[in-house]
Each structure stands twice: as C-alpha cells, then as structure tokens.
Amino acid sequence: TTDSSGKRSISRTMIAGKADGGWIIESATLNSAEETAVQMCVRGLEKAAAAGNAESVEIVWIKIKNEKGAIQRVEGPVLAMMRSVYKNNLSSLNVKAAIYVNGGTVSVPAGTFAATNRVETEVSFLGKTHRSTAWHHSAVPINGMVKMLSEDGKNQTVLLGFGFKGAVSEF
C-alpha cells in the first residue's frame, strides 16, 4: 500500500487455522517505522456469509504481537469492553458499493489477472467519506482483491503475492 504522503507498507492476511470453534485470521503489516501482527479467532463466519449479515460473527480472542516479540492475548471482560467500543464505532460505518462490472485485465506484481470484477465503493466513517475503485479476481483467496485505488489516486493497494500454502504465522 502506498498512501497519499508516499509512505509504503506491506500487509499480509492469512487464515492461520482453526481453534476454539472458529477461524484464526492473522494480519501482519511492515512499514519503515514498525512491524505489527494481530491474530483473531472468529466464530460464525459461515453463518454470516450464508445470511449476508455479520450479526452472528463473534470475536473469541485477539492476540497482538509487539515490536519486541511479546504477545498479548485479549479475551474475557477486556475483550467484552473492546467489543462494545467497536460495535458503537461500527454503527457509524456506512458502506455503499456499486454493482460489480467487468474490470478487464489487471497487471500487478502478483501477476496478470484477466476477467476481473471492478467495483466502486464509498465508505463513510466518523464524518469522513472515502471513495475507491477495486478490482477482484476469484483466484485470489480471502477477499479476492487484486488492486485498489482511491478516487483521488493518492492511495493505492496492489497484490504482491498470494497462495493457498506456504504462509508462515508470525505467532
């Protein structure tokens, strides 16, 4: 990802496994200032996908790894407090997505993807609105995103690589 000020970061999202009745989703980000990693155990994803409603999704626990490698696990009452804050913030989130249309062929460092789907999205959150265009392809796991470009062209995300095997957990 390259933001409007030219700062670059590399992010990796993976499904790290299953535990405690849910999927473990891990995200790691590296930029010039720091390296961060977070794991979340999430229950109810299949039900939410089938219903088209995220109400049944439950965060069971969160692990956060700091710069020194120390891991903090958040669960129980602390997680319950965090859930209420997130839920209140998410109530102000408004996402509008246009219908997916033919996005043509898109080339990024991870490869060239023919027959992509393009969608324009408007996200309003806490009084700010962000518009972007994203290209998705069914060969890319998790969210399918190949490329995303902000409306003003100052923020861009491109797929560097993907796969179904070989990712190593930060935890």
Side-chain angles (χ1 to χ4, degrees):
T1 300
T2 305
D3 71 13
S4 59
S5 65
K7 292 181 183 172
R8 298 178 129 192
S9 63
I10 297 173
S11 300
R12 178 182 46 84
T13 302
M14 65 184 267
I15 298 173
K18 286 186 111 174
D20 301 320
W23 290 99
I24 300 170
I25 300 171
E26 180 175 319
S27 296
T29 301
L30 171 67
N31 63 38
S32 61
E34 64 183 349
E35 186 174 346
T36 60
V38 176
Q39 275 189 347
M40 290 192 313
C41 181
V42 183
R43 285 187 200 137
L45 289 175
E46 291 90 347
K47 184 177 178 183
N53 184 338
E55 287 293 319
S56 61
V57 174
E58 173 193 4
I59 299 173
V60 181
W61 50 256
I62 299 172
K63 289 182 185 177
I64 304 165
K65 183 177 177 184
N66 70 18
E67 270 294 307
K68 296 178 182 177
I71 297 171
Q72 177 185 5
R73 184 172 167 135
V74 181
E75 57 191 334
V78 176
L79 183 58
M81 288 188 311
M82 289 173 65
R83 276 189 206 119
S84 66
V85 170
Y86 285 128
K87 200 165 209 168
N88 288 340
N89 285 338
L90 287 175
S91 67
S92 71
L93 179 67
N94 184 15
V95 179
K96 296 178 187 173
I99 296 172
Y100 282 88
V101 297
N102 181 346
T105 300
V106 176
S107 292
V108 294
T112 298
F113 297 85
T116 63
N117 293 305
R118 181 177 56 85
V119 65
E120 294 180 10
T121 306
E122 179 179 289
V123 177
S124 299
F125 185 61
L126 300 174
K128 291 189 175 190
T129 300
H130 305 277
R131 292 175 188 83
S132 64
T133 301
W135 290 262
H136 297 262
H137 195 275
S138 60
V140 178
I142 301 183
N143 67 6
M145 191 171 71
V146 173
K147 180 178 179 179
M148 186 278 303
L149 184 62
S150 63
E151 180 182 55
D152 62 9
K154 293 182 178 179
N155 294 293
Q156 177 175 265
T157 300
V158 295
L159 185 65
L160 299 177
F162 68 99
F164 294 97
K165 294 180 181 179
V168 177
S169 174
E170 297 289 327
F171 292 78

